[in-house]
Amino acid sequence: MLNRLRDSATAAHVVPLFVFMAFLAVPGWFRIENPELPWFQKAPEHWIYPLQTLLCGGLLIWFRRHYQMQPWRGFGLASALAVIGIVAWIAPAWWFQKLGAGENAPEWWSWFGLVARKEGFDPTVLAAWPVGEAASVFMRFVRMVIVVPFVEELFWRGFLMRYLNAGEASWQSVPFGTHSWRAFGIVTALVMIAHEPEDYLGALVWGSLVYWLAVRTRSLGACVVMHAIGNLLLGIYALRTQQWGFW
């Protein structure tokens, strides 16, 4: 059974993302809201997400023969679009801080990203254990910059975008980067839904830019590079501003 799974190109592009998404619900099962408890009980994401990273990374290596990153081109464009996309993602929260609306802000503002972004993966929970805090930050960047770009781009652009354009044919017969407005609409909408409501606007802009990059370059590698650079910039921003909701 494992050999059959490993031989499936569809599984190779779909399974890592589904495993990744399944792990997102796990911290809630273990979290106990009590500041007096040790970190692994009040903030279980600091040990669950590293497990998620290692497992999904292992799946990517296990399935690696199915992944076609070439042609290696468009990396300059990918870098520029990463900067544009991340600026668009963080701009509403930056503007929210400038407005100083705080708790008086209308609820619908959150749908446009106009929120404080203070709640999220907070490594300072481990401040009393500097080695643990550093390890948590390191694994967070491994997750954001290496695992997430591969897991997401392999599914959204490498599989689903092609599957939606395949019709009765095999999705693998569809060249990477083949455009249709149907594929654009469905893939981008699902990318948005996969995020929190306050990220919908940012995900719309980001998803549109990555889609355009895929069509322009016909390179899955370029999409992964864009995603990696964007997540690196977002992680650095979150660390500097302590807006933990961004990562």
Side-chain angles (χ1 to χ4, degrees), residues 72-163:
W72 298 110
R73 64 187 178 203
F75 294 161
L77 179 60
S79 301
L81 292 178
V83 174
I84 294 170
I86 292 306
V87 168
W89 199 296
I90 66 177
W94 178 86
W95 182 244
F96 179 82
Q97 287 187 320
K98 293 298 180 183
L99 291 174
E103 296 180 358
N104 297 321
E107 185 176 349
W108 60 266
W109 278 23
S110 66
W111 288 75
F112 295 92
L114 292 160
V115 289
R117 299 302 184 100
K118 292 297 183 182
E119 300 296 326
F121 187 91
D122 181 0
T124 63
V125 170
L126 303 173
W129 185 32
V131 173
E133 184 178 10
S136 181
V137 171
F138 173 76
M139 288 302 297
R140 191 66 174 181
F141 274 96
V142 171
R143 181 181 187 263
M144 292 181 68
V145 179
I146 300 175
V147 172
V148 168
F150 279 102
V151 164
E152 292 199 6
E153 295 310 321
L154 284 166
F155 178 78
W156 297 123
R157 257 64 61 171
F159 167 72
L160 186 59
M161 182 177 166
R162 295 160 71 188
Y163 177 82

Side-chain angles (χ1 to χ4, degrees), residues 6-213:
R6 193 178 189 182
D7 289 338
S8 169
T10 300
H13 287 73
V14 172
V15 169
L17 180 66
F18 274 68
V19 171
F20 184 90
M21 297 297 288
F23 261 88
L24 297 180
V26 176
W29 303 346
F30 293 92
R31 182 177 292 108
I32 301 175
E33 300 293 345
N34 185 342
E36 302 300 320
L37 291 174
W39 66 269
F40 56 85
Q41 289 180 295
K42 65 183 179 182
E45 61 271 17
H46 289 279
W47 60 268
I48 291 171
Y49 288 160
L51 290 178
Q52 174 198 48
T53 300
L54 294 173
L55 178 57
C56 291
L59 285 171
L60 292 170
I61 294 171
W62 195 58
F63 282 123
R64 66 188 181 279
R65 63 191 175 91
H66 294 288
Y67 304 145
Q68 180 61 50
M69 298 291 121
Q70 297 174 331
W72 298 110
R73 64 187 178 203
F75 294 161
L77 179 60
S79 301
L81 292 178
V83 174
I84 294 170
I86 292 306
V87 168
W89 199 296
I90 66 177
W94 178 86
W95 182 244
F96 179 82
Q97 287 187 320
K98 293 298 180 183
L99 291 174
E103 296 180 358
N104 297 321
E107 185 176 349
W108 60 266
W109 278 23
S110 66
W111 288 75
F112 295 92
L114 292 160
V115 289
R117 299 302 184 100
K118 292 297 183 182
E119 300 296 326
F121 187 91
D122 181 0
T124 63
V125 170
L126 303 173
W129 185 32
V131 173
E133 184 178 10
S136 181
V137 171
F138 173 76
M139 288 302 297
R140 191 66 174 181
F141 274 96
V142 171
R143 181 181 187 263
M144 292 181 68
V145 179
I146 300 175
V147 172
V148 168
F150 279 102
V151 164
E152 292 199 6
E153 295 310 321
L154 284 166
F155 178 78
W156 297 123
R157 257 64 61 171
F159 167 72
L160 186 59
M161 182 177 166
R162 295 160 71 188
Y163 177 82
L164 292 169
N165 286 322
E168 298 298 320
S170 165
W171 68 268
Q172 291 177 274
S173 68
V174 178
F176 182 84
T178 299
H179 166 65
S180 73
W181 288 112
R182 176 173 175 267
F184 168 75
I186 293 175
V187 171
T188 306
L190 290 175
V191 168
M192 291 174 61
I193 293 170
H195 291 82
E196 297 295 328
E198 57 265 28
D199 288 319
Y200 283 173
L201 181 60
L204 172 61
V205 174
W206 179 266
S208 300
L209 291 174
V210 183
Y211 182 92
W212 182 70
L213 180 68

